Amino acid sequence: MEAEDQEVSRVSQFGCTCGHSQQVIPTMADDNSVAPGPGQHFSLDASFVHLTRPPPREASSDSNHEGLLETLRQSSQLLRVAQGKSTSQHSSDPGVSLCQDCIDRVARALESDTDRLKMESLAYERAVVAEEESRRMLRKAVENNIDDTPDSSDDDILVRAASAFRDEIKILTTACEQHENELHYLQSLQKQQMVLSQQLELKEDGIWEERNALELEAKALDNIISQLGTHCLRAQKDLESLSMVKLHPALFDLVVDKRGLRYPLINELRLAFRPKGDVKWKEINAAWSQAAQLLLFVGASVDFRSRQWRIVPLTPVAKLMFISPDGKRAVYSLGSGQDTNSPDNSRTKRAPEMSMSLRALNCLLDEMVRHVLSLVEHSPKLPYEISRHRVGTYDLSRLNESDDSSWSQVIHRVASNLQWLSDRASEYTLEATVI
């Protein structure tokens, strides 16, 4: 007991080498004996428990190896310090004396380093497993690509694998060259396509411009068509209005008394055989001139062309001209060609000439009626039958020039047939116009 008390008092004379006045543990030498006295004591600064974190380690195996060694070295130093030994096995330092706080700090540092060492060990184990798996897969790949023999060594297998890989690299290089050539060819095609695309864009722009122009022209054409449609409708209405109008009766108003008791009228002029009462040659000439014009108009409307007869309606007295096959001509006056105040213009002197003119007019009407009947189907019946020398029941070749009553009836029948011709010509003209 006295020896132990002496040792504690000896150690307490020096205190903890960290600089705190607390209870210390005796310093142990390397051979587990009590450290020598104060003259031989070497102190250690307390900063040894402030372990710095190792710098960030890279993913390489060398850096991981160096980090693990550094951690082991620090742990070994902490363990020796906790045992009161020197920080190095080959150092002449007899050791250090630690207080309770320093011992706790060293213990915590040892626990932290121990945990770190465990984590590093697990990481190394995983790395070893991954490396073994990689080598196994590489070995399997080599075995699949290289025909292995039972006596083949790893070196032979690796040599054959390297040769196979070199051959594969050559094949891949050739394929890459081919792909590169194809790429250049495709790039040239792409440039050509771009040029064609630009040309097509220009053509497309031109087509759009032409389309716009066509649309404008189409709109203008629509306007023109609309205007033409309006004009057509107006013309159709005018045509319908004209279809209600008989042109020949409108120009030549021919009025015939069905009983034959009054003179036939054409444009309010009386058609007569010879002057009587207030009927003078001047009115008779004008009336027969209107009748000749109507006859000429009807012939032109139905395209009638006579080989032997000609009508001259514009002279002071209307005339009919007959041309025989041998070229001889005979002229018949529809009225009196002499002065109406002349004493020669007597009642008896003009009768033979007027009767011959009416016979010639009847012959011309006969030809025209037969022509109209050949053109118009289902036409109304002719008022009076007609031939070259007959009209109705009268034979013109046998009538006496002094029989005024008979000649008046002949004029009535001739006017009726002329009115029939005027109506048929109007219908024919309207049908031809509508068609």
Side-chain angles (χ1 to χ4, degrees), residues 292-345:
Q293 293 180 28
L294 175 57
L295 196 60
L296 184 64
F297 187 27
V298 170
S301 299
V302 297
D303 296 328
F304 173 72
R305 299 289 185 273
S306 177
R307 296 181 180 180
Q308 297 176 334
W309 293 99
R310 301 290 184 270
I311 301 174
V312 185
L314 300 179
T315 57
V317 177
K319 299 182 184 303
L320 297 178
M321 184 181 298
F322 178 77
I323 303 174
S324 62
D326 57 358
K328 294 182 180 181
R329 297 185 180 185
V331 179
Y332 303 94
S333 298
L334 294 173
S336 175
Q338 297 181 358
D339 186 3
T340 57
N341 296 324
S342 174
D344 295 334
N345 190 14

Side-chain angles (χ1 to χ4, degrees), residues 369-384:
V369 166
R370 284 188 279 110
H371 177 74
V372 171
L373 289 175
S374 66
L375 295 177
V376 180
E377 297 180 357
H378 308 292
S379 61
K381 184 179 179 180
L382 189 68
Y384 298 96

Side-chain angles (χ1 to χ4, degrees), residues 38-297:
Q40 298 178 352
H41 179 77
F42 298 94
S43 62
L44 179 66
D45 186 61
S47 62
F48 68 91
V49 297
H50 296 283
L51 299 176
T52 59
R53 291 184 178 274
R57 297 186 298 272
E58 298 179 356
S60 62
S61 60
D62 294 338
S63 61
N64 292 335
H65 183 64
E66 291 176 357
L68 180 61
L69 292 178
E70 180 66 20
T71 304
L72 288 173
R73 186 182 64 78
Q74 290 182 2
S75 299
S76 178
Q77 289 180 357
L78 288 174
L79 183 61
R80 294 183 65 83
V81 168
Q83 292 176 354
K85 299 179 181 180
S86 63
T87 57
S88 176
Q89 294 180 359
H90 305 288
S91 175
S92 60
D93 186 4
V96 295
S97 298
L98 300 176
C99 64
Q100 188 63 37
D101 291 338
C102 292
I103 292 174
D104 293 338
R105 293 170 67 186
V106 169
R108 287 194 296 272
L110 284 173
E111 290 178 359
S112 176
D113 287 342
T114 301
D115 294 337
R116 189 184 303 171
L117 287 173
K118 290 180 180 180
M119 293 176 64
E120 292 286 347
S121 298
L122 290 175
Y124 275 106
E125 289 177 358
R126 295 190 188 97
V128 169
V129 173
E131 186 68 21
E132 290 178 354
E133 181 67 17
S134 177
R135 290 177 62 85
R136 186 183 64 79
M137 294 178 65
L138 180 61
R139 176 76 178 185
K140 185 176 180 180
V142 171
E143 290 176 354
N144 292 333
N145 290 283
I146 303 301
D147 295 333
D148 192 11
T149 58
D151 297 335
S152 298
S153 62
D154 292 342
D155 293 337
D156 294 337
I157 294 174
L158 290 176
V159 170
R160 289 197 300 272
S163 178
F165 285 143
R166 282 192 294 270
D167 296 337
E168 187 70 21
I169 289 172
K170 290 180 180 179
I171 295 173
L172 293 175
T173 302
T174 304
C176 289
E177 290 177 355
Q178 293 178 355
H179 289 312
E180 186 176 1
N181 294 331
E182 292 178 358
L183 178 61
H184 292 321
Y185 177 70
L186 292 175
Q187 287 176 350
S188 63
L189 289 179
Q190 185 181 10
K191 291 180 180 179
Q192 295 177 2
Q193 292 296 326
M194 291 177 65
V195 173
L196 291 176
S197 177
Q198 293 176 355
Q199 294 177 356
L200 290 176
E201 288 179 355
L202 293 176
K203 291 183 179 180
E204 185 178 2
D205 294 338
I207 290 173
W208 279 107
E209 292 178 357
E210 292 179 358
R211 180 178 178 181
N212 292 333
L214 288 175
E215 289 180 353
L216 294 176
E217 293 179 358
K219 290 182 179 179
L221 183 60
D222 291 339
N223 294 331
I224 294 173
I225 292 174
S226 178
Q227 294 176 0
L228 290 176
T230 304
H231 291 314
C232 288
L233 291 176
R234 188 179 304 168
Q236 184 69 25
K237 292 180 180 179
D238 293 341
L239 184 60
E240 292 177 356
S241 300
L242 290 174
S243 64
M244 303 302 294
V245 178
K246 293 183 178 181
L247 186 59
H248 298 76
L251 295 177
F252 300 94
D253 185 16
L254 186 60
V255 180
V256 180
D257 184 14
K258 293 182 180 180
R259 296 177 298 174
L261 300 178
R262 298 180 180 179
Y263 290 109
L265 300 177
I266 181 169
N267 292 340
E268 302 298 331
L269 297 174
R270 289 172 286 189
L271 294 170
F273 180 67
R274 67 182 67 196
K276 185 178 181 180
D278 60 345
V279 180
K280 306 298 181 182
W281 278 116
K282 186 175 182 180
E283 182 180 356
I284 295 173
N285 293 339
W288 286 110
S289 178
Q290 291 288 316
Q293 293 180 28
L294 175 57
L295 196 60
L296 184 64
F297 187 27

